[in-house]
Amino acid sequence: MYEYKAFIIEVVDADTFVASVDLGFYTYCRQYFRLSNYYAPESDGLERPLGLIGTTKLQEYLPVGKEILIRTE
């Protein structure tokens, strides 16, 4: 298992976000991430109202610029 420091760039939907990952030696990588073991309603179709609520909640939890720690599985 590995750990990386990262910064939130954007929240895509209720279970996906984009982060800039610090790989060390002043090297960064922009990467999409999906939350592990988490089902979120889709942001389109019949689940749209719940999907938008989930997206808003994740944006509150992971605001743009927040520093996080990524742990691989």
Side-chain angles (χ1 to χ4, degrees), residues 4-22:
Y4 300 92
K5 184 170 67 170
F7 299 92
I8 300 298
I9 295 174
E10 80 174 288
V11 171
V12 177
D13 60 20
D15 60 1
T16 308
F17 62 92
V18 181
S20 176
V21 182
D22 183 354

Side-chain angles (χ1 to χ4, degrees), residues 11-67:
V11 171
V12 177
D13 60 20
D15 60 1
T16 308
F17 62 92
V18 181
S20 176
V21 182
D22 183 354
L23 302 175
F25 298 105
Y26 305 102
T27 304
Y28 293 85
C29 172
R30 184 175 192 254
Q31 186 69 42
Y32 281 80
F33 292 93
R34 287 184 58 93
L35 298 176
S36 171
N37 299 318
Y38 177 72
Y39 168 77
E42 295 300 321
S43 295
D44 57 1
L46 296 174
E47 297 180 326
R48 182 173 171 79
L50 292 176
L52 294 176
I53 292 170
T55 300
T56 301
K57 290 296 181 185
L58 188 60
Q59 287 170 336
E60 291 172 4
Y61 185 70
L62 297 176
V64 172
K66 181 176 182 173
E67 183 178 323

